[in-house]
Amino acid sequence: MSERRLLLIAKPQPEVLSAMVQEVTKHQLHTRLGAALFAPENWHQSLSRPYRYEAGLCERLLLAGSRIAADCCVVTLNRISSQHAAAPGIHWAFRARGQPKGFLALLSAVRSALIAQGVDERQGHSPHVTISYRAPTPLSSRVIAPIDWTIDEIQLVLAGDSEPYRYRTLGRWALTTPRYPYAQLRLL
C-alpha cells in the first residue's frame, strides 16, 4: 500500500466522466496504456498539492475546505497529450484550452483558505485531468471533441489507504453559482 496523502480535488460529474472515457476509447488509448491507465473513477483536477496524512493537518484541511469562497467555473477539455514527469514515467492527461478566469479565481480562493489555516500551498496547477502517471511512451497531442466541465464542488480526499488505489472523500463543499451569465464562465 502506498503512503497516505490528503489533497483537495474536483472530480468530473458522471456525464463528464462518461464523455472522457468515450474519448479515451475512441482513440484506443486504453489499449495502449493497459495497466498504466489510471482508473477513471480516480480522474480529477488537483487543487492543492498532496500532503502526507497527519490527523491535525486533516482537521486544518477540512476547515480550509469549509471556508473556500469561490464560484463554479467551466474548464473545456479539448485534447489529450503527454509530458515527461518526474519518475516513474510519462504523464498522459486531458488538457484544457487556456487558463479560464474562473479556474484561476478558484485556485486563488483555495490557496487563500489553506494559507489562512497555516497550510503551505505554493504549487501551481493547470487545468488538466491525468489518465496515466506512468505511460510507457510519449503521446502526440490528440484533439478531442470539446468536453465542457463545470467544476461545482471541491473534495478533500484521502489517497493511498486502499487496494485497489482509490480516493476516499473526507469532506465536500459546493461552489457558488456565479451571478453573471453562463457564457462568461468560459475563457473569454
Side-chain angles (χ1 to χ4, degrees), residues 133-149:
Y133 288 99
R134 52 186 177 81
T137 60
L139 177 71
S140 59
S141 188
R142 307 288 169 102
V143 175
I144 62 169
I147 301 170
D148 288 336
W149 171 24

Side-chain angles (χ1 to χ4, degrees), residues 30-179:
H30 62 299
T31 58
R32 286 186 60 189
L33 287 171
L37 177 69
F38 194 44
E41 56 268 24
N42 291 331
W43 292 356
H44 68 279
Q45 168 67 58
S46 295
L47 300 171
S48 75
R49 69 180 180 87
Y51 300 96
R52 181 175 297 168
Y53 179 84
E54 297 171 12
L57 177 60
C58 183
E59 295 306 317
R60 291 195 329 248
L61 290 171
L62 284 165
L63 191 53
S66 72
R67 294 187 175 169
I68 294 170
D71 289 339
C72 300
C73 65
V74 174
V75 171
T76 300
L77 304 170
N78 68 348
R79 67 193 182 285
I80 300 172
S81 63
S82 69
Q83 292 181 334
H84 284 281
I90 301 167
H91 187 221
W92 287 13
F94 287 92
R95 303 266 174 219
R97 176 182 7 185
Q99 286 276 21
K101 288 181 182 181
F103 182 76
L104 294 175
L106 173 59
L107 290 178
S108 179
V110 169
R111 184 172 289 121
S112 294
L114 290 169
I115 290 170
Q117 295 307 312
V119 179
D120 181 38
E121 177 57 37
R122 296 181 198 170
Q123 187 172 347
H125 302 278
S126 62
H128 76 281
V129 176
T130 301
I131 62 173
S132 179
Y133 288 99
R134 52 186 177 81
T137 60
L139 177 71
S140 59
S141 188
R142 307 288 169 102
V143 175
I144 62 169
I147 301 170
D148 288 336
W149 171 24
T150 301
I151 298 176
D152 61 1
E153 178 184 76
I154 295 174
Q155 296 182 27
L156 174 64
V157 297
L158 177 62
D161 73 335
S162 64
E163 283 295 330
Y165 189 87
R166 295 287 182 263
Y167 292 127
R168 183 165 50 107
T169 301
L170 304 177
R172 58 180 3 127
W173 304 276
L175 299 174
T176 57
T177 302
R179 291 180 222 155

